[in-house]
Amino acid sequence: MIILAFESSCDETAVAVVRNGRELLADAILSQADMHALYGGVVPEIASRKHVEAIAALTDSALAQAGITRREVDAVAVTYAPGLIGAVLVGVSFAKSVAYALGVPLIPVHHVRGHIAANYLAFPDLTPPFLALAISGGNTLIVDVRDYTDMTILGATRDDAAGECFDKAARVLGLPYPGGKPMDALARQSQGGKYVLPSAHVEGAPLDMSFSGLKTAVVNLAHNAQQKGEPLDAAALAHDFTRAVSNELVPRAMEALAQTGRTKLVAAGGVAANSIIRADLERECQKRGVKLYLPPLRWCGDNGAMIGAQGYYEYCAGVTADLHLNAYATMDIDK
Ligand code: KG4
């Protein structure tokens, strides 16, 4: 089954062609990050407009890359939640019109389910059940994936997502948007151990997380140093900050593995590209004999391929939508 998949929930317009949920035939992505970098973060209205400008031509190039005609498309999949509402709406509206014009089923896909499914493309042997650590710019979740479309949230951030925290901390260190990648490079220039940063515990919910205090601590540290005219060791702070984020994520993922007895851990989302977090996950999983799946860097960030992969399994589970399909800014992954 050949699925044409659309992703437009933030600042990447992405169109992919995926066969049977596992084989990537085309992956066309147009990032708007340079444009939003001028403002230090994503400007939602600009994001929507740029998606409108890009999506039709990107579809043509995805079909050309796959070497197929429109008539060979069996179904259309699209991110319908969560994300910037105007941005998601562009993908949903376009996907609806394509599905209608081609007379093929329309498959709604939850964005974070897509992030997890990127691993199906990278690892042919990966099948549920497994535990997923989904860490992106808008979401931070520990999810028990019982089956391709049957999942439960075990832990979640109570405030900011890990990626949002990276982006804001990077901004006060003078790094460009999106800050995760430059922060990663800066952190690797130091051994850290210089700055003491807070960690959070949510009473009665040990797998839940909080990043807003950590974000504020880094902002305050940088501002205080600036006001007092004291030098800031940016590389050490980047390292200590990343270590603090990792210390929120990795022990909780290990605790969730212990609680559920799962033997496979899947990482997903933009923050899963972080080299320190990847190394911590590798070390801790190895200690416990847990098989770890780390997606290749190109499939950590937003892409259409992951929507095509998850779309296939949603379709197999009987999930399709009619032309009343709407876009949603928020939605739980287990709904
Ligand atoms: O998954 P993604 O592309 O978009 C969402 O679905 O949100 O994630 C984007 C986030 C941004 O916050 C970006 O700074 C972060 O992922 N990111 C990283 C790294 N690469 C991207 N964070 C930490 N380390 C990285 N190497």
Side-chain angles (χ1 to χ4, degrees):
M1 174 181 208
I2 293 184
I3 293 183
L4 179 63
F6 296 97
E7 156 62 39
S8 68
S9 65
C10 192
D11 59 349
E12 262 97 25
T13 320
V15 186
V17 182
V18 177
R19 197 197 316 263
N20 296 335
R22 296 278 179 168
E23 190 191 343
L24 183 64
L25 304 184
D27 195 10
I29 303 181
L30 192 74
S31 176
Q32 311 167 357
D34 286 352
M35 167 94 40
H36 298 291
L38 299 172
Y39 305 93
V42 178
V43 182
E45 183 56 27
I46 294 179
S48 311
R49 285 164 191 261
K50 290 286 153 196
H51 287 311
V52 171
E53 284 171 20
I55 200 162
L58 216 55
T59 305
D60 287 341
S61 61
L63 290 170
Q65 227 184 77
I68 61 162
T69 65
R70 293 170 194 187
R71 306 240 170 276
E72 290 170 84
V73 171
D74 296 308
V76 168
V78 63
T79 298
Y80 78 120
L84 299 172
I85 189 65
V88 188
L89 257 175
V90 176
V92 167
S93 308
F94 193 79
K96 284 202 282 194
S97 65
V98 173
Y100 178 71
L102 299 180
V104 298
L106 174 68
I107 309 163
V109 177
H110 188 285
H111 178 74
V112 185
R113 286 189 179 203
H115 271 304
I116 294 169
N119 287 277
Y120 300 140
L121 294 163
F123 305 106
D125 67 317
L126 175 64
T127 52
F130 55 77
L131 210 77
L133 178 63
I135 41 180
S136 67
N139 299 274
T140 304
L141 299 170
I142 298 171
V143 186
D144 187 26
V145 182
R146 282 185 297 274
D147 207 342
Y148 291 101
T149 57
D150 177 16
M151 42 196 91
T152 307
I153 298 173
L154 302 179
T157 179
R158 293 288 181 108
D159 40 55
D160 297 329
E164 144 85 9
C165 194
F166 265 102
D167 292 339
K168 291 289 155 28
R171 190 153 82 179
V172 296
L173 293 182
L175 300 171
Y177 170 85
K181 200 173 168 193
M183 190 79 145
D184 197 351
L186 186 61
R188 273 183 273 135
Q189 293 171 23
S190 166
Q191 296 299 313
K194 195 162 181 176
Y195 296 98
V196 179
L197 295 168
S199 68
H201 301 277
V202 180
E203 192 72 32
L207 296 181
D208 280 354
M209 295 154 273
S210 164
F211 293 97
S212 63
L214 179 57
K215 181 177 82 177
T216 307
V218 174
V219 171
N220 286 344
L221 253 166
H223 286 167
N224 285 343
Q226 196 184 30
Q227 279 160 2
K228 290 182 190 161
E230 289 171 1
L232 191 72
D233 186 341
L237 185 52
H239 189 104
D240 290 336
F241 164 79
T242 307
R243 185 67 59 212
V245 174
S246 188
N247 287 345
E248 295 295 310
L249 298 169
V250 179
R252 283 175 174 85
M254 296 306 127
E255 174 58 25
L257 285 164
Q259 281 183 18
T260 55
R262 296 283 183 233
T263 54
K264 294 184 263 186
L265 178 67
V266 163
V271 181
N274 186 270
S275 59
I276 291 176
I277 296 173
R278 286 170 91 93
D280 287 353
L281 284 171
E282 263 167 358
R283 189 190 58 245
E284 294 306 315
C285 283
Q286 200 172 19
K287 267 192 215 162
R288 291 165 176 79
V290 167
K291 181 142 174 54
L292 175 65
Y293 295 85
L294 288 173
L297 298 191
R298 72 177 176 125
W299 281 333
C300 290
D302 290 347
N303 62 82
M306 66 188 203
I307 303 304
Q310 182 62 23
Y312 174 75
Y313 291 105
E314 298 288 342
Y315 181 80
C316 292
V319 179
T320 56
D322 63 21
L323 296 179
H324 293 100
L325 179 67
N326 204 351
Y328 300 90
T330 59
M331 181 171 294
D332 286 344
I333 196 173
D334 49 1
K335 288 286 163 327

